[in-house]
Structures are given as structure tokens and as C-alpha cells.
Amino acid sequence: MKNTDLQDYSHKRFNILTGEWVLVSPHRAKRPWQGQNEAVSNEKRPTYDASCYLCAGNTRINGEVNPKYEDVFVFTNDFAALQSDSPSFSVQDGLLVAQSEKGICKVICFSPDHSKSLADMDPADIQKVVAAWQDQYAELGANELIHYVQIFENKGAVMGCSNPHPHGQIWSQSTLPNEVDKKNTQQLNYYNKNNSSLLGDYLEQELALEERIIFQNDAFVVLIPFWAVWPFETMIVPKKHQSNILDMNEQDAFLYAEAISKITKAYDKLFNTSFPYSSGIHQAPTDGLDYSHWHWHMSFYPPLLRSATVKKFMVGYEMFGSPQRDITAETAAQRIKDLI
């Protein structure tokens, strides 16, 4: 589908995973920028920081001492957004509706080296992070309290990360969060109608077109989704139909780690800076129901737009209408692909 109209004229693209639209305005990519420029931080961090509450051997705010961990370290969040011991209750007062939500939140340190990010780690070391994600998904998902396990990372101060030590989080809860609920509905409807995976069929079409593919190995594809919202948004998708990360064997896990390594390294090269982003894995819920329709995937949402100091703001029309982007997915894909 080499449609030049998509590169020159405003149009909408449909997100098959959420059932929502994104407005694309490629002609606006040529406009001059007179908006805010963020400060570039190329601070060289030490491998160990005595004041960091995530470094090995240091004492956290609650008084607990981190072990002298050598690769990956997981602990229960000292300031968890969800509580496992909160009482069960509901509010139904006319149009005022609320219900209790229970959960367990974890922090996962990717490395004891304070100076690193995933982009600085070898695939073999990233595979240890993947193994920890698998362990936590299995452990938390087996808890009858937990029906969904959300694994994510906020990288960079601009994404609200409060500590530069390489780490991510896992929030697990008793109901499905909004984005997961939408993706569950879309994938289920497609599976019931076609008896095949929505993302699997989409991936087949993308591989044939090769317009938005950034990298692939024997098990995974890294691409910019046709419906991407963020300027350099990417998605890692397993080629095999897998509902969750436990479906990966050891070789799959290594190839997944390789895919993460490739995209994070390319991001850092794009604007010659430690590239900020929020990333997250969407996969099957853990409430014991049949989720054959799920095809798990990992998304990266970076805010940078034109350089290391110019970011994309979701304001105005994006807040009150729908998401909008200027640079097309195809243009962004080629720029990142050239760096790999």
C-alpha cells in the first residue's frame, strides 16, 4: 500500500488494538518550531551512588537494606499505588460510582550499575530482566487477588522518573485497566470473527509491505505501528501467536532481549541523547479465563519530536479531540531503521 497521499495530506488512521483513531498531519512537519525546548542532560552517572535508594547495599526510605545484588533485584514498592490489604467496598450514589481496587506493586532494578540503561546492557543481561518479568508475571498472576499484571518502565526525568538508576515497575491489580480492557475487547472480537490472532494477521501484512519494519529476528519484529501516536513510538511483537511472556522459551527470551537492545540503542543514537520513553508490556489477564485471542506485545512511547530538546506535547486538540501526530509512521520508521 504505497499511498503517497498518506505522506502529504491530513488523514485519520485506525488503531486496531483500541478501536480509536489518530489524526495524522504530515504537512505540519515542515512548520518552524518556536515552542519550548527541553534542557539536554548528558550527565555522566557513577556506577554506584551512595545516595541512591536503588543501588546495591544501600538503605531505602523505609529502612530496609538492599542486598548486594549482582544482576536483577525485585522488591515490593515502598510507596505502592495499590494496596493488597485495602477493604472491599463500593459506592453507588446516583451518578457517583466507585469501587475498591486491590493490588501489589513491585520495583525491578535492571542492573546494579547506576550508570546504565537498557540501551547500555548486552542482550544476555537484558535476558535476565526478561526472566524476572516472567517470574513476576507467574508469581503475581497466581495470586487469586490479581487479575492483571502490568509491567512498565519510565525512562528519563521528562517521563516523571524519580530515580535515574535503571529500573522498571510492575503494578498488578484485581481488575483490568482501561487500555488493557480496550485491547482485550478488540482482540476477542477479531478472534471470534476470524479464528486468528489480530496482531498475527497485522504482522503478516506489515512484513509483506516492509514500510514500517525497523528490525526483525527469528522470533520478534520491531515496528512503528500504522496507527502510532507518539512521533517515534515502536512496538515489539512476537512472530508466534503467544498470549503472554510465559509462552516464550529460553531462545525466544534471548531474541526478545535482542529486540529490546536494538531499539533502545537506536533511540539513543536518534538525537544523540539518553532517549526518554515509557514502555510497557500488554498481555493476557491472569484471572483464569481463556485468553487464546491475546497476542502479547511491548510498546515504547517516547516524547521527543524533532531533537533532544524538542518534545511532543499532548495538549489542546489531543486532550479534547483525539491524538494527533505530524511525522508519519513511515518516515519515523526509516529514520530509526537507518540507525540499526
Side-chain angles (χ1 to χ4, degrees):
M1 188 188 66
K2 296 276 186 182
N3 190 330
T4 56
D5 287 347
L6 294 177
Q7 308 306 317
D8 296 322
Y9 301 104
S10 58
H11 60 278
K12 295 193 300 182
R13 298 192 185 193
F14 185 65
N15 185 332
I16 59 172
L17 283 172
T18 64
E20 298 170 339
W21 294 86
V22 54
L23 175 65
V24 184
S25 312
H27 55 288
R28 280 167 50 92
K30 300 170 184 157
R31 67 186 175 132
W33 179 262
Q34 294 181 309
Q36 179 174 331
N37 289 307
E38 302 286 342
V40 178
S41 175
N42 285 316
E43 172 193 5
K44 299 294 183 185
R45 300 199 306 274
T47 58
Y48 169 76
D49 183 346
S51 65
C52 171
Y53 60 83
L54 297 181
C55 276
N58 286 1
T59 302
R60 301 202 304 275
I61 289 294
N62 66 353
E64 290 189 27
V65 178
N66 297 330
K68 293 279 190 179
Y69 64 95
E70 297 181 355
D71 38 59
V72 181
F73 170 48
V74 182
F75 64 93
T76 301
N77 197 321
D78 299 325
F79 299 96
L82 292 156
Q83 303 160 299
S84 59
D85 58 354
S86 61
S88 297
F89 63 89
S90 63
V91 174
Q92 187 78 49
D93 183 9
L95 297 178
L96 309 181
V97 181
Q99 65 180 49
S100 58
E101 183 74 0
K102 297 183 180 183
I104 301 168
C105 297
K106 300 283 191 77
V107 174
I108 173 169
C109 297
F110 301 152
S111 167
D113 191 330
H114 185 80
S115 68
K116 288 188 174 181
S117 70
L118 287 175
D120 304 310
M121 296 168 60
D122 294 330
D125 289 325
I126 297 176
Q127 187 178 0
K128 295 175 183 177
V129 177
V130 172
W133 286 340
Q134 291 176 307
D135 289 343
Q136 290 300 310
Y137 177 80
E139 177 186 319
L140 292 166
N143 188 324
E144 62 179 14
L145 175 73
I146 302 302
H147 289 169
Y148 190 74
V149 179
Q150 181 60 64
I151 297 167
F152 67 96
E153 178 196 3
N154 293 321
K155 181 192 174 194
V158 72
M159 299 308 294
C161 183
S162 60
N163 189 313
H165 192 101
H167 75 285
Q169 297 186 58
I170 304 173
W171 290 15
S172 59
Q173 61 191 98
S174 52
T175 63
L176 303 192
N178 295 342
E179 292 302 303
V180 178
D181 191 44
K182 285 184 282 189
K183 288 187 175 186
N184 182 56
T185 298
Q186 288 293 110
Q187 290 185 95
L188 178 59
N189 289 343
Y190 186 90
Y191 191 85
N192 286 340
K193 181 179 179 181
N194 300 281
N195 197 33
S196 60
S197 155
L198 173 62
L199 272 185
D201 290 353
Y202 166 71
L203 200 57
E204 195 173 299
Q205 188 172 352
E206 286 285 25
L207 287 169
L209 291 169
E210 294 188 336
E211 290 183 89
R212 288 164 291 275
I213 304 295
I214 293 171
F215 169 80
Q216 63 173 306
N217 54 31
D218 288 344
F220 288 89
V221 174
V222 184
L223 55 78
I224 293 194
F226 180 72
W227 56 83
V229 169
W230 295 94
F232 295 98
E233 173 182 333
T234 58
M235 184 165 63
I236 301 176
V237 189
K239 290 181 175 180
K240 290 181 287 189
H241 180 190
Q242 300 174 339
S243 64
N244 62 65
I245 58 176
L246 296 182
D247 290 338
M248 288 188 290
N249 59 33
E250 192 168 347
Q251 179 63 14
D252 289 340
F254 177 80
L255 293 174
Y256 176 38
E258 180 188 42
I260 293 173
S261 176
K262 291 287 185 182
I263 186 55
T264 53
K265 280 178 168 58
Y267 274 154
D268 280 8
K269 292 177 184 176
L270 187 60
F271 296 133
N272 195 30
T273 190
S274 183
F275 208 76
Y277 58 73
S278 279
S279 67
I281 300 171
H282 277 157
Q283 56 189 322
T286 58
D287 55 9
L289 300 179
D290 179 13
Y291 288 102
S292 302
H293 56 283
W294 259 89
H295 196 131
W296 77 269
H297 51 283
M298 181 181 195
S299 296
F300 289 80
Y301 300 154
L304 298 187
L305 174 60
R306 295 171 179 236
S307 70
T309 64
V310 176
K311 64 175 286 193
K312 163 74 176 177
F313 291 92
M314 289 292 182
V315 295
Y317 181 83
E318 289 93 349
M319 285 184 168
F320 297 100
S322 68
Q324 181 273 339
R325 63 180 286 135
D326 295 345
I327 180 175
T328 64
E330 296 74 33
T331 301
Q334 190 59 54
R335 288 186 63 179
I336 300 178
K337 186 177 180 180
D338 289 344
L339 298 171
I340 296 180

